[in-house]
Amino acid sequence: MRPSREALYQEHGGMQLFWFQGDRLEYRARAGEDGYLWDVQGYYGGDINKFWFKSEGEGAFGEAIEQAEIQALYSRAIAPFFDLQAGVRQDLTGPKRTHAVIGVQGLMPYMFEIDAAAFLSGKGDLTARIEAEYDQRLSQRLILQPRAEVNLSAQEIPELDIGSGIDNIELGLRLRYEIVPEFAPYVGIEQEWKLGGSRDFARLAGEDPSVTNYVIGVRFWF
């Protein structure tokens, strides 16, 4: 009986799957030098346990990459639409730091996608990031996606130009056209604000703490 049950489990939901998504791969037109951004993630595993990886970064054309990171996470389902994730994050630019990560990712009621994580660096700095997205389907292929991201820090981190409290807020709106469900180009606009001590650091560096990006990009998965 046990082999039969294991075979049933493997053939009806217990398969190991690989999934990869380029959530945001975009060109960013803005005042000053135009830039780019990538935001990708994926996993390998079954319904309950997964190895999850994420990477995101951004920069301006003709300059060194401003910010880049990669995360390797163990992910375990704790509810039908939510995973608890824990692992490590490695910063690839600036003061290269390694962070312990713990967070949750999943689908809230009314179909809001949430990705929230706390990061504890090897220097003892505690930061957090909360992202939320919502897909408003306008037609079978046309989808409007509001998106918000908030970064927070428990302390001032001068070497990273981060103040304590709310570091920055990003609000975006993207309109994508699904040529096929797996591939969709999009256009949009995103507004970024640095707040508090981070705004002061930006001004001291001669940067504008409020930036508007006009974006064009693609979203894909397989």
Side-chain angles (χ1 to χ4, degrees), residues 140-141 143 176-185 219-221:
Q140 289 295 324
R141 295 177 181 270
I143 297 167
R176 72 175 186 267
Y177 182 81
E178 290 187 346
I179 298 173
V180 293
E182 296 86 351
F183 184 83
R219 182 178 192 263
F220 66 89
W221 59 268

Side-chain angles (χ1 to χ4, degrees), residues 102-158:
I102 187 165
V104 293
Q105 182 170 1
L107 200 60
M108 295 280 288
Y110 302 102
M111 306 300 284
F112 284 92
E113 294 186 25
I114 300 293
D115 185 356
F119 309 98
L120 181 63
S121 79
K123 299 286 187 180
D125 301 321
L126 180 63
T127 56
R129 180 184 304 150
I130 304 170
E131 301 176 30
E133 297 177 353
Y134 179 76
D135 283 354
Q136 176 62 54
R137 192 170 288 276
L138 304 179
S139 71
Q140 289 295 324
R141 295 177 181 270
L142 201 59
I143 297 167
L144 186 65
Q145 184 193 67
R147 179 181 183 279
E149 177 177 328
V150 180
N151 286 278
L152 306 107
S153 177
Q155 64 290 300
E156 186 176 274
I157 313 175

